[in-house]
């Protein structure tokens, strides 16, 4: 594992233009005959966790894929954003991801044409936003795009009015019992993206899973969690939020204030993972990556696919 640091990308979005110096952990697979594919891993609102982000980095390495875990919080003086999601915005994490992409494209050990992005929950939101075509304009001419997207339990209450993507492969990995980032909203968003022409979108709902299934053990309550699951809105091409419940569009700061008064609640459930569920989800993730030439040495012997009951 290598520790690296870099400056975030700032772009024309009211929740993104805050410079920061970030740290990240680069996990490299054993040297092979060619440059490695790589996945940029964005964290949930709990921050970098051994059982989640480092777990995914390990299984990726075992499959011959590099992984860069981006810490969007520590460099900004934040430990977690569970109780206050405004401490670090999804747009800031998106800027972090693209800065990481630029860094990786200059690393001779990494294949510059096989760099993907994945994230859980809050990181999943930024993963989806990185695929939206209109946001490339907001990035002020930044020339590069991710080659593949994996969003695990992403929040999808805020959907772009125009959900056209860049057409890259996408995998939505969702939890059927999620009361934090409900699966039906993400399924709807994926269908809207498909309708604009991206035929390379895969969706899987793990029916028995709760939010944060990487945590093995009983389901637990996150009592201080900001829960935005009732805050439906559409992001317009100019970055404003149209709120159906209010019947009007609002700027980012006005929307944040309105939502906390009218639709944000407290509390969510998470965990409840089992070794079998984690194995099944891992096998599906690696199979998706293998289908798009993002793994080198993966076989299904260690993580055999198991049909969802």
């Amino acid at each position: 594992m290598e520790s690296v640091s870099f400056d975030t990308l700032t772009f024309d979005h009211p929740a993104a233009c805050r410079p920061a110096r970030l740290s990240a952990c680069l996990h490299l697979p054993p040297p092979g005959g060619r440059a490695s594919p790589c996945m940029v891993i964005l964290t949930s609102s709990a921050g970098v966790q051994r059982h989640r982000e480092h777990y995914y980095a390990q299984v990726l390495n075992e499959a011959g894929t590099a992984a860069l875990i981006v810490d969007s919080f520590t460099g900004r003086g934040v430990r977690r954003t569970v109780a206050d999601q405004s401490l670090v915005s999804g747009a800031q994490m998106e800027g972090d991801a693209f800065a990481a992409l630029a860094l990786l494209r200059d690393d001779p050990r990494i294949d510059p044409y096989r760099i993907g992005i994945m994230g859980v929950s809050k990181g999943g939101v930024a993963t989806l936003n990185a695929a939206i075509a209109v946001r490339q304009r907001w990035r002020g001419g930044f020339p590069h795009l991710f080659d593949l997207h994996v969003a695990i339990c992403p929040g999808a209450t805020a959907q772009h009015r125009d959900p056209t993507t860049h057409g890259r492969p996408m995998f939505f990995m969702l939890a059927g019992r999620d009361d934090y980032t409900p699966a039906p909203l993400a399924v709807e968003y994926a269908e809207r993206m498909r309708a604009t022409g991206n035929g390379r979108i895969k969706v899987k709902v793990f029916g028995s899973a709760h939010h944060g299934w990487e945590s093995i053990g009983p389901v637990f309550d996150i009592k201080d969690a900001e829960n935005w699951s009732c805050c439906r809105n559409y992001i317009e091409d100019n970055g404003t939020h149209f709120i159906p419940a209010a019947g009007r569009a609002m700027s980012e700061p006005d929307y944040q204030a309105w939502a906390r008064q009218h639709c944000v609640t407290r509390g969510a459930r998470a965990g409840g993972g089992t070794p079998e569920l984690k194995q099944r989800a891992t096998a599906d993730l690696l199979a998706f990556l293998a289908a798009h030439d993002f793994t080198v040495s993966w076989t299904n012997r260690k993580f055999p696919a198991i049909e969802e009951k």
Side-chain angles (χ1 to χ4, degrees):
M1 181 179 73
E2 296 181 13
S3 295
V4 298
S5 60
F6 55 93
D7 293 321
T8 190
L9 172 70
T10 58
F11 57 95
D12 188 17
H13 187 281
C17 295
R18 301 174 189 173
R21 185 74 176 170
L22 306 172
S23 60
C25 297
L26 178 61
H27 296 251
L28 292 167
R34 59 174 180 165
S36 299
C38 185
M39 293 296 291
V40 171
I41 302 177
L42 303 181
T43 74
S44 75
S45 54
V48 178
Q49 302 286 311
R50 183 163 298 279
H51 69 276
R52 181 174 295 124
E53 288 79 19
H54 283 286
Y55 166 78
Y56 285 125
Q58 178 182 341
V59 298
L60 288 169
N61 280 184
E62 291 174 357
T65 303
L68 181 72
I69 302 173
V70 178
D71 182 355
S72 292
F73 295 171
T74 302
R76 295 183 170 99
V78 174
R79 186 175 69 85
R80 67 200 282 268
T81 65
V82 174
D84 183 355
Q85 297 293 353
S86 69
L87 293 175
V88 178
S89 72
Q92 285 174 292
M93 293 178 70
E94 181 186 347
D96 300 347
F98 280 99
L101 174 59
L103 180 77
L104 291 169
R105 286 181 63 89
D106 285 337
D107 190 324
R109 299 167 297 181
I110 304 300
D111 184 341
Y113 301 106
R114 289 187 296 164
I115 302 175
I117 181 172
M118 63 182 289
V120 177
S121 191
K122 188 179 184 75
V125 174
T127 295
L128 295 182
N129 284 342
I132 297 294
V134 69
R135 298 180 78 95
Q136 182 72 352
R137 188 180 72 217
W138 299 355
R139 289 189 282 272
F142 183 82
H144 306 304
L145 296 170
F146 286 99
D147 300 295
L148 177 145
H149 301 250
V150 178
I152 304 173
C153 296
T157 54
Q159 301 184 14
H160 272 267
R161 176 83 71 182
D162 179 1
T164 303
T165 71
H166 296 289
R168 308 296 170 86
M170 301 177 69
F171 188 15
F172 288 68
M173 301 178 68
L174 311 174
R177 299 182 180 180
D178 196 331
D179 66 354
Y180 202 5
T181 57
L185 296 176
V187 172
E188 173 195 306
Y189 205 10
E191 291 173 349
R192 295 182 63 234
M193 291 176 179
R194 283 195 188 110
T196 64
N198 188 346
R200 297 197 288 174
I201 297 177
K202 177 180 179 179
V203 177
K204 180 160 185 179
V205 180
F206 298 88
S208 62
H210 292 81
H211 192 88
W213 67 62
E214 296 90 356
S215 180
I216 304 299
V219 177
F220 56 90
D221 292 324
I222 315 173
K223 295 182 179 179
D224 66 341
E226 270 193 344
N227 192 321
W228 290 71
S229 62
C230 294
C231 299
R232 293 295 305 271
N233 65 95
Y234 292 98
I235 303 171
E236 307 289 8
D237 286 359
N238 63 2
T240 61
H241 295 257
F242 179 82
I243 319 301
R248 62 188 179 93
M250 302 180 191
S251 67
E252 178 78 24
D254 287 346
Y255 165 64
Q256 293 280 335
W258 183 93
R260 286 185 166 83
Q261 185 176 357
H262 291 90
C263 61
V264 173
T265 59
R266 287 284 170 185
R269 295 182 299 168
T274 65
E276 294 77 17
L277 171 61
K278 199 166 183 175
Q279 174 183 298
R280 178 166 63 247
T282 299
D284 286 339
L285 168 64
L286 294 177
F288 177 77
L289 296 179
H292 296 286
D293 196 27
F294 260 74
T295 63
V296 175
S297 57
W298 177 73
T299 72
N300 67 359
R301 287 194 296 269
K302 184 174 181 181
F303 299 105
I306 303 172
E307 289 300 319
E308 177 75 2
K309 295 181 180 179

